[in-house]
Amino acid sequence: MGIDRGFNKKCLAVALCAVLGGSAFAQDATPAPPPSTSPAKPAADSQATPPKPDKAVQMKALSVVANRYDATNMRMDSINTVDVLSAADLQHTAVHNVAEALGLMSGVNVTTTGSGYFGGIDGAARGEGMFTSVRGLPSEYNVNLVNGSNVAQGMPYSRSVQLSLLPPSGLQTIVLNKTSTADMDGDAIGGTIDFRTPSAFDFKKDFSGSVTASGRVESRARDYGGSGLGSGLAGELQGKFGSEKQFGVYVSGYYDYRNIANSEIGAAESASNDGSWAFLHATSDGQNAPGYDPAHNLTSLGTNVGVASGFERRYGGNISLDWNVDPTLKAYARMTYAYALTEQNTTYNQLLPQDVTYVPTATPGVYTPNIGRIANRFWYETNPERADLATIQLGADKTAGGWTISPNVFWSIGRNDRPNHVEIDGREDKYSQDNFAYNQSSLLTYGSHGFPYPSLTPGLLNSVNNLQNMYANDYGEVTDIRSGQKRGGAKLDLRYDFEDGPLQSIKFGMKYSDSSREFTDRDYSTAGINDGTTTLNDLGIIKGYYNQIFPGKFDWTTPQISRSAVASLIANNLQPGDLDTCSQLDYNNFNCDTMRGTEAVTAAYAMATFQSGPWEVIPGVRFEHTSIRNTFWTTPQDADGNEQPGYFSNNHTIYNEPLGSLFINYRPDGNIVYRGAIWQSYTRPAFVQLGGGSQISVSDGVTTITTGNPNLSPIKATNVDLGAEWTTQNGGYVSLASYYKKLRNYIYDSGGGQADPNTSGVGTVLTKTPTNGGDGRVVGLEATYRQKFQNLPAPFDGMGFSVNATRQNSKVDLGRDGFENERLQSAPQRMANAELFYEKYGFSVNLSYHYTGSYLSTYDFLNQNSPWDDLWIRPIRRVDLHLGYAMSNGLQFDLQVSNLTKQYSYWSHIGRNSLANSDIVDAGRTTLLTVKYNF
């Protein structure tokens, strides 16, 4: 029996409401196919099974897809649950990079922050998505591939891959595997994301190519008086050669550039870094008054307001070489490279509380804070980044009888450096603490939707408009961070296809990968300036002024700083003894934040495909052996607490993980598939948790050793997925899925610090190390519905809509008292996308709406040992627009507008239901115009 091809729309609406909890709608970007140079419909995915009346066949090669309809076919044919973005999707979406493009898929949350110097408002101030959470699991729980091969992980404090490095123009297809079969890497609790580039054999013509030019405008940069302009150039060329067109070459390249100037207000940042928070109703010593909920009792005593300006320059390209040696043998080589250079300069006006006391209120025993004075200060810092990612792979597919033999070797290098991060500051109260008496309980008042406004006295207002007259504190500070990984390996896949019987095929293989990574962090601080006269203006670092520090909110005039002038000032005043990374001795300072590590993973798997009528059953088993060796610096102290010269130490970690899987698909006809799957997966802890630097200190006769923990267990998961997908005769596509993940040994992202630090030992020797948490779970529902009104009379048959929605709940035990019932990081309960589109006569129009519900970003943000001070992200709502026209002569014009209504791109706050201490970024609107010529 089948189902009604028309599908009951009312029933689907009810299903979507159940997924969302009655909240928002969704989008699945679906533009029309590009002109004739677009890739032809592929021979599908290595994880896919095309419809065949009497036999299920696993595909032998990767594929790219041209449009949403090819993407639908791939999703329907796959033996596992996948989501696909086609070449047209990537070309017609108003996003900055592929991380933001992934946010168009159901179950994917795009975050603008990460670990370390990518965290918090510093990362968010760039105004673009950087990492992705899949089905409630953070980015380091994902596996990232390019053309099916693993990419290097260059991030300093986590296993994440910075996806903002990759622009949409550099790729053709993105395949998100939400479930994992035995022939896929086992360390993917979230998902496996495969970024694919085309080969010449994905195109219809023997020779074709394209050239694309683009220009962009950033509205917030223009609000500051800058041009806000950017540009881009991309091209591709493919050809097939030889007497039988057996050779194929594909080459592409891209370059783009964008200027930014985004607005920031940072009360949460000030609360964490400078203690600018208090309880509004407190005890006499400032503790939370009895009977008051601490999160609702917060008040802000200070804040930062500033501008994040700079640029981002990206370039890269892809090469694919293919040789169809004969009908039974195909060989290929794939090379990709992506580079991004970011200059981010933050100019901050800091308003910090001083001389805080607690005074009685009308309620007996209840006190309130009184800010004796406000310290007005200036702080300038840069957040530069130099990142690149390269991949190379060589492989072949050989058939002989029923056998298919697929060897592959791969190599990748990735770097995420923070070179020459500089800081400099000035202080109004450097020599006198008598200025700017305040005597209020809070610095901030709150306007529409909770936006914070500092209340300034006339003296403070005059001071914030004359920051150049502040006393210079020193000649600056410079930090150099280098982080990268090299990764290579080989794999061999073998499959045997049977002619008759329920056993359709068996597949087995082996894979070996080896990687090495290194991390260094060195900091130099110049001596203070204490002459009582030198101001910021005297240093020669000011190159101009912003007329408004936060246009539309605060019209304070603030300096524009020359980054090169600050760097020269530091270089001219730096002394040999200014190295102060984390110790006293130069020898230790040079090495104390140095870490090296190697990781070798050996895997073997076996799986089979059984088919009986409409049933497909795919059992499998995989085994992964991991050997990790870390080298790190140890800094000891003597019995009197004096620092001693350190030395490099080593530790070793081994994991052996058997992983089982069972996939069952039921295909009553070619238009519907029901899916059920259960599989096991895991994630290895970040290197900094396993082998972080060791510090040995002595106090009162007690020796405390703080170090990484090589005995950490991997995070393990048992995953269950149930779903259905079907197409309708009148141009519709529907997908419903539910998922459940049971987690064990949870470890959370703590930036560069330790997760769940635990002190153990007896007597006079104690050891402080990160530890595993407890159990957790994620349960969720996803729904997708896309409908093109192809039965309407022309020209209305080009209209359509799509909607996808996700509702999920998560719970995890951090392994700390009071943190037994936390949400997973980066896991909103509700996500949705909705799109109205038109595609006909060469026109394509896409109006889309994106919604992400609130989610938890950082546990225990104020270190209060309780979950009430977790850092949360407010819901994100964004409207995007795309207008395109493809002419018959090969010219194609596209206008893309991201964040049409200029919503805030980031808003975090301390406490789930309190906005008293918020960080906000206003990145404005981005408009991109592209002109493409296909030949």
Side-chain angles (χ1 to χ4, degrees), residues 780-856:
L781 296 171
E782 296 174 350
T784 298
Y785 181 28
R786 186 178 66 246
Q787 180 67 58
K788 185 175 182 180
F789 300 116
Q790 61 186 34
N791 294 332
L792 292 177
F796 303 105
D797 54 346
M799 297 175 59
F801 73 90
S802 66
V803 56
N804 68 52
T806 302
R807 174 65 187 267
Q808 63 187 11
N809 286 297
S810 63
K811 176 183 177 182
V812 69
D813 176 7
L814 301 192
R816 299 169 54 186
D817 291 340
F819 293 85
E820 297 86 2
N821 189 23
E822 288 281 76
R823 279 246 210 118
L824 278 166
Q825 291 172 309
S826 306
Q829 287 187 327
R830 296 177 177 89
M831 295 175 286
N833 295 284
E835 179 196 27
L836 298 174
F837 64 85
Y838 181 84
E839 46 185 34
K840 194 169 181 70
Y841 305 128
F843 290 99
S844 59
V845 181
N846 309 79
L847 180 65
S848 59
Y849 172 77
H850 174 79
Y851 173 84
T852 300
S854 63
Y855 61 90
L856 193 156

Side-chain angles (χ1 to χ4, degrees), residues 343 345 380 382 420 422 539-543 561-572:
E343 181 180 299
N345 310 306
Y380 170 83
T382 65
N420 297 319
V422 299
L539 298 179
I541 60 175
I542 298 175
K543 64 178 181 180
I561 304 299
S562 167
R563 183 200 60 81
S564 59
V566 174
S568 297
L569 183 69
I570 294 172
N572 293 334

Side-chain angles (χ1 to χ4, degrees), residues 42 129 191 203 248-249 302 321 324 518 536 624 648 782 784 816 901 923:
F203 293 80
V249 178
L321 307 175
N324 294 334
E518 58 182 14
L536 290 173
E624 293 194 0
F648 281 106
E782 296 174 350
T784 298
R816 299 169 54 186
T901 58

Side-chain angles (χ1 to χ4, degrees), residues 866-899:
S866 181
W868 66 260
D869 66 331
D870 292 342
L871 187 71
W872 287 78
I873 308 298
R874 289 194 80 181
I876 297 170
R877 299 171 176 87
R878 191 183 74 241
V879 177
D880 296 339
L881 174 66
H882 165 261
L883 303 173
Y885 180 63
M887 303 174 66
S888 58
N889 61 3
L891 275 175
Q892 185 172 334
F893 302 89
D894 291 281
L895 177 68
Q896 303 161 24
V897 183
S898 177
N899 195 16

Side-chain angles (χ1 to χ4, degrees), residues 53-66:
D54 59 348
K55 188 174 182 178
V57 179
Q58 288 183 318
M59 286 298 144
K60 302 178 176 64
L62 296 176
S63 63
V64 299
V65 295

Side-chain angles (χ1 to χ4, degrees), residues 107-152:
V108 177
N109 177 31
V110 179
T111 65
T112 57
T113 63
S115 298
Y117 52 88
F118 296 93
I121 197 170
D122 279 343
R126 296 185 180 181
E128 63 177 349
M130 299 176 72
F131 304 96
T132 57
S133 164
V134 177
R135 286 188 165 181
L137 280 306
S139 57
E140 60 184 356
Y141 286 63
N142 301 329
V143 167
N144 294 276
L145 310 173
V146 171
N147 294 321
S149 293
N150 301 87
V151 302

Side-chain angles (χ1 to χ4, degrees), residues 416-464:
N416 288 92
D417 295 337
R418 193 192 200 193
N420 297 319
H421 157 75
V422 299
E423 300 180 43
I424 198 165
D425 66 305
R427 303 189 178 194
E428 183 77 36
D429 60 348
K430 184 172 177 63
Y431 301 106
S432 173
Q433 279 68 52
D434 297 331
N435 39 356
F436 309 133
Y438 199 68
N439 296 317
Q440 299 291 329
S441 61
S442 176
L443 176 71
L444 301 179
T445 60
Y446 301 90
S448 177
H449 306 294
F451 192 92
Y453 293 86
S455 298
L456 304 184
T457 64
L460 272 173
L461 185 58
N462 178 69
S463 181
V464 300

Side-chain angles (χ1 to χ4, degrees), residues 685-692 707-710 712 747-748 750-751 753-755 770-771:
F687 286 90
V688 71
Q689 303 291 345
L690 296 169
T707 186
N709 183 3
L712 285 172
I747 298 177
Y748 57 89
S750 58
Q754 294 183 341
T771 59

